[in-house]
Amino acid sequence: MTRSDLVEELAARFGQLTQRDAEFAVKAILDAMNDALVRGHRIEIRGFGSFSVNYRPPRMGRNPRNGDSVAIPEKLVPHFKPGKALRQAVDLQDDPLATGSKP
């Protein structure tokens, strides 16, 4: 699902919202989540999951072309951990990989 799909779904589900209002709501929520993660805060949405920022220490990697060692600097990366309800809901679905369709 893309951002525009989410806007369309929101506008369709709530008839009182125009496409523009739904787009504004999605943008406001995503901007607020983005700002919170940039500040290093944790976001927890009950029944869905939590977003946090993880620290990755510096390490040595390898250049796949020539095998030379490359220093990879430390960095902070966003991390999502699904909640129990989301994990169970996904697990109860039919296996899309078994039927050959894409998830």
Side-chain angles (χ1 to χ4, degrees):
M1 176 178 267
T2 64
R3 183 178 180 151
S4 58
D5 293 339
L6 184 59
V7 168
E8 289 175 17
E9 178 72 24
L10 192 61
R13 189 174 293 188
F14 299 100
Q16 67 271 25
L17 282 179
T18 64
Q19 189 83 9
R20 177 178 272 177
D21 290 340
E23 188 172 337
F24 180 76
V26 169
K27 183 179 180 343
I29 290 170
L30 294 177
D31 286 347
M33 292 174 72
N34 185 42
D35 293 344
L37 288 173
V38 167
R39 290 192 311 266
H41 294 149
R42 183 172 185 269
I43 301 167
E44 182 178 329
I45 303 170
R46 299 283 169 145
F48 182 71
S50 62
F51 297 86
S52 60
V53 177
N54 282 356
Y55 170 76
R56 287 199 184 154
R59 61 189 174 91
M60 292 303 291
R62 293 231 174 252
N63 181 336
R65 271 194 193 162
N66 54 22
D68 290 345
S69 293
V70 178
I72 300 173
E74 65 182 4
K75 59 181 150 181
L76 296 173
V77 294
H79 175 74
F80 174 71
K81 181 178 178 185
K84 183 178 178 181
L86 178 60
R87 282 194 317 267
Q88 289 175 343
V90 169
D91 189 41
L92 291 177
Q93 295 298 312
D94 291 335
D95 187 9
L97 299 177
T99 60
S101 63
K102 293 182 181 180

